[in-house]
Amino acid sequence: METYLKSVAHDYLRYGNCWEDADVLLTGLDITLGDRVLSIGSAGDNSFSMLVGNPEIVVAVDVNTVQLKLIELKKASFATLNHTQFLQFLGFAFCEDRLELYQIVRMMLSEETAIYWDGKKNNIINGVIHSGKFEQYFTKFRKVVLPFIHGRRTIDILFDSKTGQEQKAFFDKRWNSLRWRTLFRVFFSKFLMGRLGRDPKFLNEVNLSVSDFIIDRSSTHLSKRDSQENYFLDYILRGNFSIGLPHYARIENFQIIKNNLASLKTFHGYAEEAQLHYGCFNKFNLSNIYEYMDTNTFSKTVEKLLDMGDDGARYAYWNLMVPRNMSHVDPALISRPSIPYGLTDKGFFYNKFLVNQKLGMPKSVLDNYSFAK
Protein backbone atom coordinates (compact mmCIF):
# COMPACT_ATOMS: atom_id res chain seq x y z
CA MET A 1 0.00 0.00 0.00
CA GLU A 2 2.87 2.36 0.76
CA THR A 3 4.26 2.19 -2.77
CA TYR A 4 0.79 2.48 -4.23
CA LEU A 5 0.04 5.83 -2.54
CA LYS A 6 3.45 7.45 -2.96
CA SER A 7 2.32 9.51 -5.95
CA VAL A 8 -0.78 10.87 -4.16
CA ALA A 9 -0.51 14.28 -2.48
CA HIS A 10 -0.87 14.18 1.31
CA ASP A 11 -0.14 17.81 2.14
CA TYR A 12 -3.58 19.43 2.19
CA LEU A 13 -6.90 18.97 3.95
CA ARG A 14 -8.79 16.45 1.87
CA TYR A 15 -11.80 15.99 4.18
CA GLY A 16 -13.32 18.21 6.87
CA ASN A 17 -15.84 15.49 7.70
CA CYS A 18 -15.98 11.72 7.56
CA TRP A 19 -18.44 10.72 4.87
CA GLU A 20 -19.12 7.24 6.19
CA ASP A 21 -22.11 6.64 8.46
CA ALA A 22 -20.88 6.16 12.03
CA ASP A 23 -24.18 4.62 13.15
CA VAL A 24 -23.75 1.85 10.61
CA LEU A 25 -20.06 1.47 11.46
CA LEU A 26 -20.66 1.19 15.21
CA THR A 27 -23.37 -1.41 14.71
CA GLY A 28 -21.08 -3.49 12.52
CA LEU A 29 -18.04 -3.31 14.81
CA ASP A 30 -19.86 -3.33 18.17
CA ILE A 31 -17.15 -1.46 20.10
CA THR A 32 -17.10 -2.55 23.76
CA LEU A 33 -15.02 -2.10 26.90
CA GLY A 34 -11.40 -3.08 26.36
CA ASP A 35 -11.46 -3.23 22.56
CA ARG A 36 -8.36 -2.23 20.65
CA VAL A 37 -9.39 -0.34 17.53
CA LEU A 38 -7.48 0.65 14.41
CA SER A 39 -9.31 3.39 12.54
CA ILE A 40 -8.57 5.20 9.30
CA GLY A 41 -8.19 8.78 10.46
CA SER A 42 -9.66 10.95 7.69
CA ALA A 43 -11.42 13.82 9.52
CA GLY A 44 -11.48 11.90 12.80
CA ASP A 45 -15.25 11.85 13.25
CA ASN A 46 -15.72 8.09 13.29
CA SER A 47 -12.62 7.56 15.41
CA PHE A 48 -14.14 9.86 18.04
CA SER A 49 -17.46 8.04 17.75
CA MET A 50 -15.85 4.74 18.70
CA LEU A 51 -14.80 6.22 22.05
CA VAL A 52 -18.45 5.96 23.09
CA GLY A 53 -17.95 2.20 23.45
CA ASN A 54 -15.19 2.70 26.07
CA PRO A 55 -12.42 0.88 24.16
CA GLU A 56 -8.93 0.49 25.56
CA ILE A 57 -7.46 2.36 22.61
CA VAL A 58 -8.44 3.85 19.25
CA VAL A 59 -5.52 4.51 16.92
CA ALA A 60 -6.47 6.96 14.16
CA VAL A 61 -4.01 6.32 11.36
CA ASP A 62 -3.48 8.44 8.26
CA VAL A 63 -0.70 9.11 5.75
CA ASN A 64 -1.87 12.71 5.46
CA THR A 65 -0.36 14.83 8.24
CA VAL A 66 -2.93 17.58 7.67
CA GLN A 67 -5.78 15.19 8.43
CA LEU A 68 -4.02 14.26 11.67
CA LYS A 69 -3.69 17.96 12.54
CA LEU A 70 -7.45 18.28 12.02
CA ILE A 71 -8.04 15.34 14.36
CA GLU A 72 -5.81 16.99 16.97
CA LEU A 73 -7.77 20.23 16.58
CA LYS A 74 -11.08 18.42 17.06
CA LYS A 75 -9.67 16.51 20.03
CA ALA A 76 -8.57 19.78 21.64
CA SER A 77 -12.04 21.20 20.94
CA PHE A 78 -13.63 18.32 22.85
CA ALA A 79 -11.19 18.87 25.71
CA THR A 80 -11.59 22.63 26.11
CA LEU A 81 -15.09 23.60 24.96
CA ASN A 82 -18.63 22.87 26.03
CA HIS A 83 -21.00 21.31 23.51
CA THR A 84 -22.49 24.57 22.27
CA GLN A 85 -19.03 26.09 21.76
CA PHE A 86 -17.84 22.87 20.12
CA LEU A 87 -20.59 23.08 17.48
CA GLN A 88 -19.95 26.78 16.94
CA PHE A 89 -16.20 26.44 16.62
CA LEU A 90 -16.14 23.54 14.17
CA GLY A 91 -18.81 25.09 11.94
CA PHE A 92 -21.99 23.18 12.77
CA ALA A 93 -23.56 26.33 14.22
CA PHE A 94 -23.27 30.06 13.69
CA CYS A 95 -20.43 31.75 15.58
CA GLU A 96 -19.58 35.43 15.72
CA ASP A 97 -15.90 34.93 16.52
CA ARG A 98 -14.35 31.51 15.98
CA LEU A 99 -10.88 32.98 16.37
CA GLU A 100 -11.71 33.75 20.00
CA LEU A 101 -12.68 30.12 20.61
CA TYR A 102 -9.57 29.03 18.71
CA GLN A 103 -7.39 30.75 21.30
CA ILE A 104 -8.94 28.50 23.95
CA VAL A 105 -8.55 25.37 21.82
CA ARG A 106 -5.00 26.32 20.82
CA MET A 107 -3.72 25.84 24.35
CA MET A 108 -4.20 22.09 23.98
CA LEU A 109 -2.45 21.77 20.61
CA SER A 110 1.11 20.64 20.01
CA GLU A 111 3.44 23.40 18.84
CA GLU A 112 3.59 21.99 15.30
CA THR A 113 -0.19 21.75 15.00
CA ALA A 114 -0.73 25.20 16.52
CA ILE A 115 1.65 26.74 14.00
CA TYR A 116 -0.20 25.03 11.17
CA TRP A 117 -3.65 26.27 12.24
CA ASP A 118 -2.26 29.73 13.01
CA GLY A 119 -1.56 29.93 9.29
CA LYS A 120 -5.07 28.74 8.36
CA LYS A 121 -7.13 31.50 9.95
CA ASN A 122 -9.65 31.56 7.11
CA ASN A 123 -10.37 27.86 7.65
CA ILE A 124 -10.93 28.57 11.34
CA ILE A 125 -13.18 31.55 10.61
CA ASN A 126 -15.26 29.61 8.08
CA GLY A 127 -15.45 26.47 10.25
CA VAL A 128 -13.03 23.63 9.69
CA ILE A 129 -15.74 21.12 8.79
CA HIS A 130 -16.32 23.17 5.63
CA SER A 131 -12.65 23.51 4.69
CA GLY A 132 -11.74 20.19 3.08
CA LYS A 133 -11.29 19.77 -0.66
CA PHE A 134 -14.25 17.39 -0.73
CA GLU A 135 -16.52 19.85 1.11
CA GLN A 136 -15.42 22.62 -1.27
CA TYR A 137 -16.40 20.35 -4.15
CA PHE A 138 -19.91 20.11 -2.72
CA THR A 139 -19.92 23.88 -2.15
CA LYS A 140 -19.20 24.48 -5.84
CA PHE A 141 -22.04 22.14 -6.77
CA ARG A 142 -24.45 23.81 -4.35
CA LYS A 143 -23.58 27.39 -5.28
CA VAL A 144 -22.71 27.15 -8.97
CA VAL A 145 -24.66 24.22 -10.41
CA LEU A 146 -27.69 23.57 -8.20
CA PRO A 147 -29.27 27.05 -8.62
CA PHE A 148 -29.62 26.32 -12.35
CA ILE A 149 -31.58 23.17 -11.52
CA HIS A 150 -33.79 23.78 -8.47
CA GLY A 151 -34.77 26.73 -6.30
CA ARG A 152 -34.45 26.72 -2.52
CA ARG A 153 -38.15 25.95 -2.02
CA THR A 154 -37.91 22.80 -4.14
CA ILE A 155 -34.84 21.70 -2.23
CA ASP A 156 -36.62 22.25 1.09
CA ILE A 157 -39.63 20.25 -0.07
CA LEU A 158 -37.34 17.30 -0.75
CA PHE A 159 -36.71 17.13 3.02
CA ASP A 160 -40.34 17.73 4.08
CA SER A 161 -42.08 14.84 5.80
CA LYS A 162 -43.86 12.70 3.19
CA THR A 163 -44.93 9.12 2.76
CA GLY A 164 -42.72 6.89 0.68
CA GLN A 165 -45.19 7.10 -2.19
CA GLU A 166 -45.31 10.90 -1.96
CA GLN A 167 -41.51 11.11 -1.87
CA LYS A 168 -41.19 9.04 -5.01
CA ALA A 169 -43.88 11.05 -6.78
CA PHE A 170 -42.12 14.30 -5.85
CA PHE A 171 -38.81 12.99 -7.13
CA ASP A 172 -40.26 11.67 -10.39
CA LYS A 173 -42.44 14.67 -11.22
CA ARG A 174 -40.58 17.65 -9.80
CA TRP A 175 -36.98 16.77 -9.01
CA ASN A 176 -35.77 14.38 -11.70
CA SER A 177 -35.76 16.84 -14.57
CA LEU A 178 -33.66 16.67 -17.72
CA ARG A 179 -31.62 19.62 -16.42
CA TRP A 180 -30.97 17.77 -13.12
CA ARG A 181 -29.80 14.63 -14.89
CA THR A 182 -27.64 16.51 -17.39
CA LEU A 183 -25.86 18.93 -15.06
CA PHE A 184 -25.52 16.33 -12.32
CA ARG A 185 -23.81 13.92 -14.73
CA VAL A 186 -21.38 16.61 -15.85
CA PHE A 187 -20.42 17.78 -12.36
CA PHE A 188 -20.10 14.28 -10.92
CA SER A 189 -18.19 12.90 -13.86
CA LYS A 190 -14.92 11.06 -13.38
CA PHE A 191 -13.03 14.03 -14.83
CA LEU A 192 -14.44 16.72 -12.53
CA MET A 193 -14.67 14.54 -9.45
CA GLY A 194 -11.02 13.55 -9.83
CA ARG A 195 -9.86 17.14 -10.14
CA LEU A 196 -12.24 19.05 -7.90
CA GLY A 197 -13.30 16.46 -5.31
CA ARG A 198 -10.89 13.58 -5.02
CA ASP A 199 -7.38 12.85 -6.27
CA PRO A 200 -7.60 11.49 -9.86
CA LYS A 201 -5.40 8.55 -8.81
CA PHE A 202 -8.13 7.46 -6.40
CA LEU A 203 -10.26 6.63 -9.43
CA ASN A 204 -7.67 4.54 -11.27
CA GLU A 205 -9.39 1.25 -10.44
CA VAL A 206 -12.87 2.46 -11.38
CA ASN A 207 -14.05 0.62 -14.50
CA LEU A 208 -17.54 2.02 -14.80
CA SER A 209 -19.19 5.33 -15.62
CA VAL A 210 -18.74 7.45 -12.50
CA SER A 211 -21.57 9.81 -13.40
CA ASP A 212 -23.96 6.93 -14.17
CA PHE A 213 -23.12 5.26 -10.87
CA ILE A 214 -23.52 8.42 -8.78
CA ILE A 215 -26.79 9.48 -10.39
CA ASP A 216 -28.20 5.97 -10.02
CA ARG A 217 -27.31 5.85 -6.31
CA SER A 218 -28.64 9.37 -5.79
CA SER A 219 -31.88 8.76 -7.66
CA THR A 220 -32.60 5.64 -5.66
CA HIS A 221 -32.00 7.42 -2.36
CA LEU A 222 -33.82 10.67 -3.15
CA SER A 223 -36.89 8.63 -4.11
CA LYS A 224 -37.17 7.17 -0.61
CA ARG A 225 -38.32 8.50 2.74
CA ASP A 226 -34.88 7.91 4.23
CA SER A 227 -33.57 10.90 2.29
CA GLN A 228 -35.76 13.26 4.34
CA GLU A 229 -33.62 12.65 7.43
CA ASN A 230 -30.21 12.22 5.82
CA TYR A 231 -27.82 14.85 7.19
CA PHE A 232 -25.17 14.00 4.57
CA LEU A 233 -27.66 14.84 1.82
CA ASP A 234 -28.66 17.95 3.76
CA TYR A 235 -25.05 19.12 3.76
CA ILE A 236 -24.59 18.45 0.05
CA LEU A 237 -27.75 20.33 -0.97
CA ARG A 238 -28.07 22.99 1.75
CA GLY A 239 -24.58 23.43 3.13
CA ASN A 240 -24.78 22.22 6.73
CA PHE A 241 -26.11 19.56 9.09
CA SER A 242 -29.38 21.33 9.84
CA ILE A 243 -31.58 18.23 10.22
CA GLY A 244 -29.20 16.12 12.28
CA LEU A 245 -25.64 15.86 13.49
CA PRO A 246 -23.04 13.18 12.84
CA HIS A 247 -22.75 10.72 15.71
CA TYR A 248 -19.63 12.26 17.29
CA ALA A 249 -21.18 15.74 17.43
CA ARG A 250 -24.45 14.79 19.15
CA ILE A 251 -24.99 16.10 22.65
CA GLU A 252 -25.72 12.64 24.09
CA ASN A 253 -22.26 11.44 23.01
CA PHE A 254 -20.26 14.57 23.80
CA GLN A 255 -19.36 13.99 27.45
CA ILE A 256 -18.59 10.29 26.94
CA ILE A 257 -16.15 11.13 24.16
CA LYS A 258 -14.70 13.95 26.22
CA ASN A 259 -14.10 11.56 29.13
CA ASN A 260 -12.38 9.00 26.88
CA LEU A 261 -10.13 11.31 24.86
CA ALA A 262 -6.99 9.80 26.40
CA SER A 263 -7.78 6.53 24.61
CA LEU A 264 -7.52 8.20 21.18
CA LYS A 265 -4.06 8.16 19.63
CA THR A 266 -2.95 9.37 16.20
CA PHE A 267 -0.43 7.63 14.00
CA HIS A 268 1.21 9.03 10.90
CA GLY A 269 1.75 6.26 8.40
CA TYR A 270 -0.02 3.32 6.83
CA ALA A 271 -2.49 1.05 8.56
CA GLU A 272 -0.18 -1.94 8.23
CA GLU A 273 2.60 -0.10 10.12
CA ALA A 274 0.61 0.66 13.27
CA GLN A 275 1.21 -2.81 14.73
CA LEU A 276 4.88 -2.02 15.27
CA HIS A 277 3.87 0.74 17.68
CA TYR A 278 0.63 -0.49 19.21
CA GLY A 279 0.49 -4.26 18.81
CA CYS A 280 -2.55 -6.17 17.55
CA PHE A 281 -6.14 -4.97 17.30
CA ASN A 282 -9.52 -6.65 17.44
CA LYS A 283 -11.64 -4.01 15.64
CA PHE A 284 -10.77 -2.27 12.36
CA ASN A 285 -12.47 0.72 10.72
CA LEU A 286 -10.96 0.66 7.24
CA SER A 287 -13.15 3.31 5.59
CA ASN A 288 -12.96 2.66 1.83
CA ILE A 289 -9.18 2.25 1.52
CA TYR A 290 -9.50 -0.70 -0.86
CA GLU A 291 -11.12 1.55 -3.45
CA TYR A 292 -7.71 2.82 -4.50
CA MET A 293 -5.88 -0.49 -4.77
CA ASP A 294 -5.32 -2.85 -7.66
CA THR A 295 -6.17 -6.47 -6.91
CA ASN A 296 -2.60 -7.47 -6.10
CA THR A 297 -2.11 -4.60 -3.63
CA PHE A 298 -5.51 -5.34 -2.14
CA SER A 299 -4.63 -9.00 -1.49
CA LYS A 300 -1.28 -8.14 0.08
CA THR A 301 -2.87 -5.49 2.31
CA VAL A 302 -5.55 -7.91 3.48
CA GLU A 303 -2.92 -10.44 4.53
CA LYS A 304 -1.00 -7.77 6.47
CA LEU A 305 -4.15 -6.60 8.23
CA LEU A 306 -5.02 -10.19 9.08
CA ASP A 307 -1.64 -10.52 10.78
CA MET A 308 -2.50 -7.45 12.85
CA GLY A 309 -5.83 -8.82 14.01
CA ASP A 310 -6.54 -10.94 17.07
CA ASP A 311 -8.62 -14.08 16.69
CA GLY A 312 -12.22 -13.03 16.16
CA ALA A 313 -11.22 -9.55 14.98
CA ARG A 314 -13.76 -7.62 12.92
CA TYR A 315 -12.94 -5.58 9.83
CA ALA A 316 -15.48 -3.00 8.62
CA TYR A 317 -15.16 -1.16 5.31
CA TRP A 318 -17.08 0.31 2.41
CA ASN A 319 -17.11 -0.34 -1.33
CA LEU A 320 -17.82 2.67 -3.50
CA MET A 321 -17.26 1.93 -7.17
CA VAL A 322 -14.62 -0.80 -6.89
CA PRO A 323 -15.81 -4.19 -5.56
CA ARG A 324 -13.49 -5.54 -2.86
CA ASN A 325 -14.28 -8.28 -0.32
CA MET A 326 -11.63 -9.35 2.19
CA SER A 327 -13.24 -12.75 2.71
CA HIS A 328 -12.58 -13.57 -0.96
CA VAL A 329 -8.85 -13.21 -0.34
CA ASP A 330 -8.32 -15.40 2.70
CA PRO A 331 -10.39 -18.28 4.15
CA ALA A 332 -9.47 -17.05 7.64
CA LEU A 333 -12.19 -14.43 7.16
CA ILE A 334 -15.93 -14.85 7.01
CA SER A 335 -18.59 -12.31 6.13
CA ARG A 336 -20.72 -11.04 9.01
CA PRO A 337 -24.11 -9.32 8.96
CA SER A 338 -23.50 -5.63 8.39
CA ILE A 339 -26.57 -3.36 8.36
CA PRO A 340 -29.48 -4.67 10.46
CA TYR A 341 -33.10 -4.21 9.46
CA GLY A 342 -34.35 -0.71 10.18
CA LEU A 343 -30.98 1.02 9.84
CA THR A 344 -30.13 2.77 6.59
CA ASP A 345 -26.65 3.78 5.51
CA LYS A 346 -26.73 7.57 5.18
CA GLY A 347 -23.69 7.31 2.92
CA PHE A 348 -26.09 6.60 0.08
CA PHE A 349 -23.36 7.03 -2.53
CA TYR A 350 -21.58 3.89 -1.30
CA ASN A 351 -22.41 0.62 -2.99
CA LYS A 352 -21.90 -1.69 -0.03
CA PHE A 353 -20.87 -1.83 3.62
CA LEU A 354 -19.08 -5.01 4.66
CA VAL A 355 -18.01 -6.59 7.93
CA ASN A 356 -15.62 -9.55 7.94
CA GLN A 357 -14.52 -11.53 10.96
CA LYS A 358 -11.30 -13.44 11.48
CA LEU A 359 -11.87 -17.06 12.39
CA GLY A 360 -10.75 -17.58 15.95
CA MET A 361 -13.26 -20.23 16.91
CA PRO A 362 -14.98 -23.02 15.00
CA LYS A 363 -17.06 -21.69 12.10
CA SER A 364 -20.10 -23.55 13.43
CA VAL A 365 -19.87 -21.44 16.59
CA LEU A 366 -19.36 -18.20 14.69
CA ASP A 367 -22.42 -18.90 12.57
CA ASN A 368 -24.52 -18.70 15.74
CA TYR A 369 -22.62 -15.74 17.16
CA SER A 370 -24.67 -12.53 17.06
CA PHE A 371 -22.63 -9.75 15.54
CA ALA A 372 -24.41 -7.30 17.83
CA LYS A 373 -23.91 -9.54 20.89
Side-chain angles (χ1 to χ4, degrees):
M1 185 174 173
E2 180 177 358
T3 302
Y4 191 67
L5 289 177
K6 271 186 177 179
S7 60
V8 177
H10 302 298
D11 57 354
Y12 64 92
L13 189 64
R14 194 179 298 279
Y15 303 107
N17 303 275
C18 284
W19 290 92
E20 294 99 19
D21 189 341
D23 295 295
V24 166
L25 175 65
L26 292 176
T27 303
L29 284 182
D30 186 29
I31 307 297
T32 57
L33 182 68
D35 279 344
R36 295 178 55 81
V37 186
L38 180 73
S39 178
I40 299 300
S42 184
D45 310 355
N46 291 350
S47 300
F48 287 115
S49 286
M50 286 183 282
L51 295 176
V52 172
N54 297 304
E56 175 187 331
I57 190 171
V58 175
V59 178
V61 56
D62 211 294
V63 296
N64 186 329
T65 57
V66 181
Q67 295 297 153
L68 295 177
K69 288 179 173 64
L70 175 64
I71 294 174
E72 186 180 342
L73 183 72
K74 289 183 177 181
K75 185 177 182 179
S77 302
F78 270 110
T80 58
L81 305 177
N82 62 39
H83 185 251
T84 298
Q85 293 170 325
F86 178 83
L87 296 182
Q88 292 173 338
F89 175 66
L90 293 184
F92 290 105
F94 173 76
C95 184
E96 290 185 347
D97 192 353
R98 290 195 175 95
L99 290 179
E100 183 177 337
L101 290 177
Y102 171 65
Q103 293 307 313
I104 300 173
V105 173
R106 190 185 187 281
M107 293 185 293
M108 292 292 293
L109 299 178
S110 66
E111 181 179 0
E112 179 183 352
T113 300
I115 291 172
Y116 174 82
W117 288 112
D118 287 349
K120 298 291 181 181
K121 293 294 176 62
N122 284 339
N123 287 355
I124 298 294
I125 292 170
N126 295 329
V128 292
I129 67 168
H130 308 297
S131 299
K133 180 182 178 181
F134 203 56
E135 287 75 25
Q136 290 301 306
Y137 179 55
F138 287 142
T139 298
K140 291 181 177 70
F141 172 72
R142 185 175 64 255
K143 292 185 175 181
V144 178
V145 179
L146 193 55
F148 288 99
I149 305 173
H150 294 304
R152 181 59 188 244
R153 179 57 186 148
T154 300
I155 296 169
D156 289 342
I157 292 174
L158 179 75
F159 293 96
D160 286 348
S161 179
K162 300 180 285 299
T163 66
Q165 186 176 5
E166 290 169 339
Q167 183 76 12
K168 189 175 188 315
F170 169 79
F171 177 80
D172 290 340
K173 296 176 182 178
R174 188 163 175 180
W175 189 276
N176 193 27
S177 64
L178 176 61
R179 184 174 295 184
W180 160 258
R181 295 192 299 272
T182 302
L183 293 179
F184 190 94
R185 285 178 187 276
V186 171
F187 194 81
F188 290 96
S189 64
K190 187 174 184 177
F191 177 81
L192 286 183
M193 181 177 287
R195 282 150 184 79
L196 299 179
R198 313 179 81 194
D199 193 294
K201 296 180 181 65
F202 284 176
L203 301 173
N204 283 350
E205 295 299 312
V206 176
N207 296 315
L208 49 75
S209 168
V210 172
S211 57
D212 285 350
F213 175 86
I214 298 295
I215 199 167
D216 179 66
R217 299 294 300 173
S218 300
S219 296
T220 299
H221 185 66
L222 270 62
S223 300
K224 296 180 178 179
R225 287 189 66 188
D226 294 329
S227 63
Q228 299 167 18
E229 299 177 350
N230 190 331
Y231 50 74
F232 284 154
L233 181 65
D234 184 28
Y235 186 96
I236 293 168
L237 297 180
R238 297 194 292 196
N240 213 327
F241 299 95
S242 59
I243 61 175
L245 293 171
H247 180 275
Y248 84 109
R250 298 171 195 162
I251 190 168
E252 63 268 25
N253 300 323
F254 182 79
Q255 193 61 46
I256 303 173
I257 295 173
K258 191 183 186 81
N259 293 343
N260 289 334
L261 285 176
S263 297
L264 178 66
K265 312 295 181 182
T266 57
F267 177 77
H268 177 226
Y270 298 88
E272 311 94 288
E273 300 171 341
Q275 183 182 16
L276 297 175
H277 298 264
Y278 295 100
C280 290
F281 301 87
N282 69 322
K283 302 288 173 68
F284 293 77
N285 162 34
L286 300 176
S287 183
N288 67 327
I289 63 170
Y290 299 136
E291 188 80 12
Y292 321 132
M293 302 179 189
D294 59 41
T295 54
N296 184 53
T297 304
F298 167 60
S299 297
K300 290 180 179 179
T301 302
V302 169
E303 294 299 335
K304 290 178 181 178
L305 291 173
L306 269 175
D307 289 340
M308 296 171 59
D310 295 326
D311 288 344
R314 295 187 195 182
Y315 301 80
Y317 54 100
W318 278 263
N319 283 181
L320 184 57
M321 291 174 280
V322 180
R324 297 283 186 258
N325 191 325
M326 293 176 67
S327 65
H328 294 169
V329 175
D330 196 299
L333 285 167
I334 60 170
S335 294
R336 300 301 306 164
S338 53
I339 304 178
Y341 179 77
L343 184 63
T344 300
D345 192 343
K346 289 179 284 294
F348 60 93
F349 28 80
Y350 285 107
N351 186 43
K352 188 177 293 185
F353 173 66
L354 301 98
V355 178
N356 296 141
Q357 189 160 20
K358 184 177 180 180
L359 287 171
M361 59 184 80
K363 188 176 185 301
S364 59
V365 176
L366 277 173
D367 286 340
N368 295 316
Y369 183 78
S370 168
F371 85 111
K373 294 185 180 177

